[in-house]
Amino acid sequence: MDPFLEQALDEARAGLGEEGIPIGSVLVHQGTVLGRGHNRRVQQGSAILHAEMDALENAGRQPAQVYRECTLYTTLSPCAMCSGAIVLYGIPRVVIGENASFMGEEDWLRGHGIQVDVVQDPACRALMQNFIETYPELWHEDIGH
């Protein structure tokens, strides 16, 4: 597994350990992790703290040029909100652990010139599937169903 995707998966596991939704993300600039995060909607009572948003927040304010040289790694396909942030900040590449559990706005991202790499990692998929089977009501709340 890619070491940065592994770090995103570690974040997802940390979220599960906090009784949250196990999705993790890291923002990488030239081989250095600028920010890492996981879904904290449950833990913080937040409407917007998805993993990608948490990683961006934890990276702090960056110059526009830095975002344009980053890759965002996420364990699950990004939703419309997170995809909007990716496009807004001009992040050119997203590496997705898996999209079988949830298909986000991948085509929309590609339509905005973002390179989207889906790796279908078995560990990302197993973590999400186990969570969905164990906590279906929380999962459906998070994705808006």
mmCIF file of all heavy atoms in Angstrom, residues 112-143:
data_model
loop_
_atom_site.group_PDB
_atom_site.id
_atom_site.type_symbol
_atom_site.label_atom_id
_atom_site.label_comp_id
_atom_site.label_asym_id
_atom_site.label_seq_id
_atom_site.Cartn_x
_atom_site.Cartn_y
_atom_site.Cartn_z
ATOM 1 N N HIS A 112 -13.315 18.655 -13.837
ATOM 2 C CA HIS A 112 -12.617 19.883 -13.446
ATOM 3 C C HIS A 112 -11.100 19.723 -13.546
ATOM 4 O O HIS A 112 -10.351 20.522 -12.983
ATOM 5 C CB HIS A 112 -13.029 20.296 -12.031
ATOM 6 C CG HIS A 112 -14.366 20.960 -11.991
ATOM 7 N ND1 HIS A 112 -15.537 20.239 -11.974
ATOM 8 C CD2 HIS A 112 -14.709 22.261 -12.015
ATOM 9 C CE1 HIS A 112 -16.559 21.088 -11.967
ATOM 10 N NE2 HIS A 112 -16.085 22.315 -11.999
ATOM 11 N N GLY A 113 -10.665 18.686 -14.256
ATOM 12 C CA GLY A 113 -9.244 18.514 -14.515
ATOM 13 C C GLY A 113 -8.448 17.870 -13.397
ATOM 14 O O GLY A 113 -7.219 17.851 -13.446
ATOM 15 N N ILE A 114 -9.139 17.305 -12.403
ATOM 16 C CA ILE A 114 -8.462 16.657 -11.288
ATOM 17 C C ILE A 114 -8.124 15.222 -11.690
ATOM 18 O O ILE A 114 -8.975 14.498 -12.229
ATOM 19 C CB ILE A 114 -9.351 16.636 -10.018
ATOM 20 C CG1 ILE A 114 -9.928 18.010 -9.696
ATOM 21 C CG2 ILE A 114 -8.604 16.030 -8.837
ATOM 22 C CD1 ILE A 114 -8.948 19.087 -9.395
ATOM 23 N N GLN A 115 -6.904 14.795 -11.413
ATOM 24 C CA GLN A 115 -6.524 13.397 -11.619
ATOM 25 C C GLN A 115 -7.082 12.596 -10.449
ATOM 26 O O GLN A 115 -6.768 12.879 -9.292
ATOM 27 C CB GLN A 115 -5.004 13.258 -11.671
ATOM 28 C CG GLN A 115 -4.544 11.818 -11.835
ATOM 29 C CD GLN A 115 -3.029 11.686 -11.827
ATOM 30 O OE1 GLN A 115 -2.312 12.631 -12.107
ATOM 31 N NE2 GLN A 115 -2.562 10.497 -11.484
ATOM 32 N N VAL A 116 -7.898 11.613 -10.744
ATOM 33 C CA VAL A 116 -8.532 10.783 -9.721
ATOM 34 C C VAL A 116 -8.026 9.356 -9.888
ATOM 35 O O VAL A 116 -8.242 8.737 -10.932
ATOM 36 C CB VAL A 116 -10.066 10.827 -9.840
ATOM 37 C CG1 VAL A 116 -10.725 9.907 -8.822
ATOM 38 C CG2 VAL A 116 -10.577 12.263 -9.691
ATOM 39 N N ASP A 117 -7.346 8.849 -8.869
ATOM 40 C CA ASP A 117 -6.829 7.482 -8.884
ATOM 41 C C ASP A 117 -7.543 6.682 -7.804
ATOM 42 O O ASP A 117 -7.415 7.000 -6.616
ATOM 43 C CB ASP A 117 -5.322 7.469 -8.610
ATOM 44 C CG ASP A 117 -4.531 8.242 -9.656
ATOM 45 O OD1 ASP A 117 -4.917 8.219 -10.835
ATOM 46 O OD2 ASP A 117 -3.528 8.880 -9.284
ATOM 47 N N VAL A 118 -8.299 5.677 -8.216
ATOM 48 C CA VAL A 118 -9.015 4.810 -7.285
ATOM 49 C C VAL A 118 -8.251 3.496 -7.213
ATOM 50 O O VAL A 118 -8.080 2.820 -8.230
ATOM 51 C CB VAL A 118 -10.471 4.564 -7.738
ATOM 52 C CG1 VAL A 118 -11.207 3.717 -6.716
ATOM 53 C CG2 VAL A 118 -11.188 5.883 -7.980
ATOM 54 N N VAL A 119 -7.811 3.111 -6.016
ATOM 55 C CA VAL A 119 -6.965 1.925 -5.899
ATOM 56 C C VAL A 119 -7.696 0.676 -5.416
ATOM 57 O O VAL A 119 -7.152 -0.411 -5.502
ATOM 58 C CB VAL A 119 -5.724 2.202 -5.005
ATOM 59 C CG1 VAL A 119 -4.876 3.304 -5.597
ATOM 60 C CG2 VAL A 119 -6.126 2.543 -3.588
ATOM 61 N N GLN A 120 -8.929 0.812 -4.923
ATOM 62 C CA GLN A 120 -9.726 -0.319 -4.427
ATOM 63 C C GLN A 120 -8.927 -1.150 -3.431
ATOM 64 O O GLN A 120 -8.794 -2.368 -3.557
ATOM 65 C CB GLN A 120 -10.245 -1.186 -5.582
ATOM 66 C CG GLN A 120 -11.121 -0.463 -6.580
ATOM 67 C CD GLN A 120 -12.401 0.144 -6.030
ATOM 68 O OE1 GLN A 120 -12.633 0.227 -4.827
ATOM 69 N NE2 GLN A 120 -13.245 0.628 -6.911
ATOM 70 N N ASP A 121 -8.415 -0.480 -2.427
ATOM 71 C CA ASP A 121 -7.614 -1.138 -1.403
ATOM 72 C C ASP A 121 -8.499 -2.025 -0.520
ATOM 73 O O ASP A 121 -9.505 -1.556 0.020
ATOM 74 C CB ASP A 121 -6.917 -0.087 -0.536
ATOM 75 C CG ASP A 121 -6.091 -0.730 0.545
ATOM 76 O OD1 ASP A 121 -4.993 -1.218 0.224
ATOM 77 O OD2 ASP A 121 -6.556 -0.761 1.707
ATOM 78 N N PRO A 122 -8.134 -3.296 -0.344
ATOM 79 C CA PRO A 122 -8.961 -4.211 0.452
ATOM 80 C C PRO A 122 -9.117 -3.781 1.913
ATOM 81 O O PRO A 122 -10.178 -3.973 2.505
ATOM 82 C CB PRO A 122 -8.236 -5.553 0.356
ATOM 83 C CG PRO A 122 -7.356 -5.443 -0.841
ATOM 84 C CD PRO A 122 -7.010 -3.991 -0.993
ATOM 85 N N ALA A 123 -8.094 -3.204 2.512
ATOM 86 C CA ALA A 123 -8.190 -2.791 3.916
ATOM 87 C C ALA A 123 -9.150 -1.613 4.072
ATOM 88 O O ALA A 123 -9.933 -1.564 5.032
ATOM 89 C CB ALA A 123 -6.805 -2.434 4.459
ATOM 90 N N CYS A 124 -9.114 -0.671 3.141
ATOM 91 C CA CYS A 124 -10.058 0.456 3.183
ATOM 92 C C CYS A 124 -11.481 -0.058 3.035
ATOM 93 O O CYS A 124 -12.387 0.356 3.772
ATOM 94 C CB CYS A 124 -9.745 1.457 2.075
ATOM 95 S SG CYS A 124 -8.208 2.380 2.275
ATOM 96 N N ARG A 125 -11.673 -0.968 2.101
ATOM 97 C CA ARG A 125 -13.010 -1.519 1.846
ATOM 98 C C ARG A 125 -13.522 -2.305 3.053
ATOM 99 O O ARG A 125 -14.673 -2.139 3.461
ATOM 100 C CB ARG A 125 -12.954 -2.421 0.609
ATOM 101 C CG ARG A 125 -14.226 -3.186 0.346
ATOM 102 C CD ARG A 125 -15.055 -2.550 -0.726
ATOM 103 N NE ARG A 125 -16.106 -3.468 -1.151
ATOM 104 C CZ ARG A 125 -17.388 -3.247 -0.919
ATOM 105 N NH1 ARG A 125 -17.773 -2.172 -0.293
ATOM 106 N NH2 ARG A 125 -18.290 -4.109 -1.326
ATOM 107 N N ALA A 126 -12.682 -3.146 3.636
ATOM 108 C CA ALA A 126 -13.107 -3.964 4.779
ATOM 109 C C ALA A 126 -13.476 -3.083 5.969
ATOM 110 O O ALA A 126 -14.494 -3.336 6.635
ATOM 111 C CB ALA A 126 -11.997 -4.940 5.164
ATOM 112 N N LEU A 127 -12.689 -2.057 6.233
ATOM 113 C CA LEU A 127 -12.989 -1.161 7.359
ATOM 114 C C LEU A 127 -14.348 -0.507 7.170
ATOM 115 O O LEU A 127 -15.174 -0.480 8.090
ATOM 116 C CB LEU A 127 -11.887 -0.103 7.494
ATOM 117 C CG LEU A 127 -12.037 0.865 8.659
ATOM 118 C CD1 LEU A 127 -11.938 0.135 9.989
ATOM 119 C CD2 LEU A 127 -10.974 1.958 8.561
ATOM 120 N N MET A 128 -14.605 -0.005 5.972
ATOM 121 C CA MET A 128 -15.871 0.682 5.713
ATOM 122 C C MET A 128 -17.043 -0.282 5.734
ATOM 123 O O MET A 128 -18.090 0.015 6.308
ATOM 124 C CB MET A 128 -15.778 1.389 4.356
ATOM 125 C CG MET A 128 -16.727 2.534 4.190
ATOM 126 S SD MET A 128 -16.306 3.908 5.268
ATOM 127 C CE MET A 128 -17.766 3.969 6.254
ATOM 128 N N GLN A 129 -16.886 -1.450 5.122
ATOM 129 C CA GLN A 129 -17.981 -2.415 5.082
ATOM 130 C C GLN A 129 -18.350 -2.909 6.477
ATOM 131 O O GLN A 129 -19.531 -3.031 6.798
ATOM 132 C CB GLN A 129 -17.634 -3.591 4.162
ATOM 133 C CG GLN A 129 -17.794 -3.253 2.709
ATOM 134 C CD GLN A 129 -19.188 -2.752 2.381
ATOM 135 O OE1 GLN A 129 -20.178 -3.464 2.530
ATOM 136 N NE2 GLN A 129 -19.277 -1.500 1.948
ATOM 137 N N ASN A 130 -17.351 -3.177 7.298
ATOM 138 C CA ASN A 130 -17.626 -3.604 8.673
ATOM 139 C C ASN A 130 -18.371 -2.520 9.433
ATOM 140 O O ASN A 130 -19.297 -2.804 10.191
ATOM 141 C CB ASN A 130 -16.328 -3.966 9.394
ATOM 142 C CG ASN A 130 -15.724 -5.258 8.875
ATOM 143 O OD1 ASN A 130 -16.407 -6.091 8.298
ATOM 144 N ND2 ASN A 130 -14.426 -5.415 9.071
ATOM 145 N N PHE A 131 -17.969 -1.261 9.216
ATOM 146 C CA PHE A 131 -18.647 -0.156 9.881
ATOM 147 C C PHE A 131 -20.099 -0.042 9.418
ATOM 148 O O PHE A 131 -21.008 0.093 10.236
ATOM 149 C CB PHE A 131 -17.900 1.166 9.617
ATOM 150 C CG PHE A 131 -18.626 2.349 10.176
ATOM 151 C CD1 PHE A 131 -18.543 2.650 11.527
ATOM 152 C CD2 PHE A 131 -19.410 3.144 9.353
ATOM 153 C CE1 PHE A 131 -19.230 3.733 12.046
ATOM 154 C CE2 PHE A 131 -20.100 4.230 9.875
ATOM 155 C CZ PHE A 131 -20.007 4.524 11.224
ATOM 156 N N ILE A 132 -20.316 -0.096 8.112
ATOM 157 C CA ILE A 132 -21.672 0.040 7.568
ATOM 158 C C ILE A 132 -22.578 -1.075 8.087
ATOM 159 O O ILE A 132 -23.736 -0.836 8.438
ATOM 160 C CB ILE A 132 -21.638 0.053 6.024
ATOM 161 C CG1 ILE A 132 -20.973 1.357 5.541
ATOM 162 C CG2 ILE A 132 -23.035 -0.095 5.430
ATOM 163 C CD1 ILE A 132 -20.631 1.356 4.054
ATOM 164 N N GLU A 133 -22.053 -2.293 8.171
ATOM 165 C CA GLU A 133 -22.849 -3.416 8.672
ATOM 166 C C GLU A 133 -23.156 -3.266 10.160
ATOM 167 O O GLU A 133 -24.229 -3.650 10.622
ATOM 168 C CB GLU A 133 -22.115 -4.732 8.428
ATOM 169 C CG GLU A 133 -22.064 -5.116 6.961
ATOM 170 C CD GLU A 133 -21.139 -6.293 6.683
ATOM 171 O OE1 GLU A 133 -20.699 -6.971 7.641
ATOM 172 O OE2 GLU A 133 -20.844 -6.525 5.488
ATOM 173 N N THR A 134 -22.218 -2.715 10.919
ATOM 174 C CA THR A 134 -22.385 -2.582 12.366
ATOM 175 C C THR A 134 -23.206 -1.360 12.755
ATOM 176 O O THR A 134 -23.985 -1.406 13.709
ATOM 177 C CB THR A 134 -21.002 -2.522 13.046
ATOM 178 O OG1 THR A 134 -20.243 -3.662 12.634
ATOM 179 C CG2 THR A 134 -21.123 -2.528 14.558
ATOM 180 N N TYR A 135 -23.041 -0.262 12.017
ATOM 181 C CA TYR A 135 -23.692 1.012 12.356
ATOM 182 C C TYR A 135 -24.429 1.590 11.148
ATOM 183 O O TYR A 135 -24.132 2.712 10.713
ATOM 184 C CB TYR A 135 -22.656 2.030 12.849
ATOM 185 C CG TYR A 135 -21.849 1.563 14.024
ATOM 186 C CD1 TYR A 135 -20.556 1.079 13.853
ATOM 187 C CD2 TYR A 135 -22.379 1.605 15.320
ATOM 188 C CE1 TYR A 135 -19.808 0.650 14.938
ATOM 189 C CE2 TYR A 135 -21.639 1.175 16.399
ATOM 190 C CZ TYR A 135 -20.344 0.695 16.200
ATOM 191 O OH TYR A 135 -19.611 0.263 17.274
ATOM 192 N N PRO A 136 -25.403 0.875 10.602
ATOM 193 C CA PRO A 136 -26.058 1.371 9.382
ATOM 194 C C PRO A 136 -26.757 2.713 9.584
ATOM 195 O O PRO A 136 -26.744 3.557 8.683
ATOM 196 C CB PRO A 136 -27.048 0.252 9.026
ATOM 197 C CG PRO A 136 -27.268 -0.496 10.306
ATOM 198 C CD PRO A 136 -25.976 -0.388 11.066
ATOM 199 N N GLU A 137 -27.335 2.942 10.740
ATOM 200 C CA GLU A 137 -28.055 4.202 10.965
ATOM 201 C C GLU A 137 -27.100 5.399 10.967
ATOM 202 O O GLU A 137 -27.404 6.456 10.426
ATOM 203 C CB GLU A 137 -28.872 4.151 12.264
ATOM 204 C CG GLU A 137 -28.063 4.112 13.561
ATOM 205 C CD GLU A 137 -27.263 2.832 13.824
ATOM 206 O OE1 GLU A 137 -27.597 1.751 13.295
ATOM 207 O OE2 GLU A 137 -26.280 2.916 14.583
ATOM 208 N N LEU A 138 -25.939 5.239 11.540
ATOM 209 C CA LEU A 138 -24.944 6.307 11.556
ATOM 210 C C LEU A 138 -24.394 6.552 10.149
ATOM 211 O O LEU A 138 -24.218 7.692 9.718
ATOM 212 C CB LEU A 138 -23.813 5.966 12.527
ATOM 213 C CG LEU A 138 -22.751 7.036 12.743
ATOM 214 C CD1 LEU A 138 -23.369 8.357 13.178
ATOM 215 C CD2 LEU A 138 -21.741 6.544 13.784
ATOM 216 N N TRP A 139 -24.154 5.492 9.419
ATOM 217 C CA TRP A 139 -23.667 5.623 8.049
ATOM 218 C C TRP A 139 -24.687 6.376 7.196
ATOM 219 O O TRP A 139 -24.349 7.303 6.476
ATOM 220 C CB TRP A 139 -23.378 4.249 7.457
ATOM 221 C CG TRP A 139 -23.119 4.284 5.988
ATOM 222 C CD1 TRP A 139 -23.856 3.689 5.011
ATOM 223 C CD2 TRP A 139 -22.052 4.964 5.314
ATOM 224 N NE1 TRP A 139 -23.311 3.942 3.776
ATOM 225 C CE2 TRP A 139 -22.197 4.723 3.945
ATOM 226 C CE3 TRP A 139 -20.979 5.744 5.747
ATOM 227 C CZ2 TRP A 139 -21.326 5.238 2.989
ATOM 228 C CZ3 TRP A 139 -20.102 6.251 4.799
ATOM 229 C CH2 TRP A 139 -20.278 5.995 3.434
ATOM 230 N N HIS A 140 -25.950 5.994 7.282
ATOM 231 C CA HIS A 140 -26.985 6.633 6.466
ATOM 232 C C HIS A 140 -27.177 8.104 6.866
ATOM 233 O O HIS A 140 -27.447 8.942 6.021
ATOM 234 C CB HIS A 140 -28.290 5.852 6.511
ATOM 235 C CG HIS A 140 -28.182 4.538 5.826
ATOM 236 N ND1 HIS A 140 -27.864 4.411 4.481
ATOM 237 C CD2 HIS A 140 -28.290 3.275 6.280
ATOM 238 C CE1 HIS A 140 -27.808 3.144 4.155
ATOM 239 N NE2 HIS A 140 -28.058 2.430 5.225
ATOM 240 N N GLU A 141 -27.002 8.407 8.132
ATOM 241 C CA GLU A 141 -27.062 9.809 8.563
ATOM 242 C C GLU A 141 -25.918 10.595 7.935
ATOM 243 O O GLU A 141 -26.096 11.695 7.427
ATOM 244 C CB GLU A 141 -26.947 9.909 10.085
ATOM 245 C CG GLU A 141 -26.797 11.335 10.578
ATOM 246 C CD GLU A 141 -26.240 11.418 11.978
ATOM 247 O OE1 GLU A 141 -26.546 10.537 12.807
ATOM 248 O OE2 GLU A 141 -25.491 12.366 12.250
ATOM 249 N N ASP A 142 -24.728 10.018 7.924
ATOM 250 C CA ASP A 142 -23.561 10.734 7.429
ATOM 251 C C ASP A 142 -23.654 11.008 5.937
ATOM 252 O O ASP A 142 -23.251 12.066 5.480
ATOM 253 C CB ASP A 142 -22.270 9.948 7.735
ATOM 254 C CG ASP A 142 -21.034 10.754 7.416
ATOM 255 O OD1 ASP A 142 -20.855 11.812 8.043
ATOM 256 O OD2 ASP A 142 -20.266 10.345 6.535
ATOM 257 N N ILE A 143 -24.174 10.064 5.164
ATOM 258 C CA ILE A 143 -24.228 10.275 3.722
ATOM 259 C C ILE A 143 -25.558 10.878 3.287
ATOM 260 O O ILE A 143 -25.795 11.049 2.096
ATOM 261 C CB ILE A 143 -23.927 8.983 2.924
ATOM 262 C CG1 ILE A 143 -24.944 7.896 3.222
ATOM 263 C CG2 ILE A 143 -22.518 8.506 3.209
ATOM 264 C CD1 ILE A 143 -24.847 6.721 2.279
#
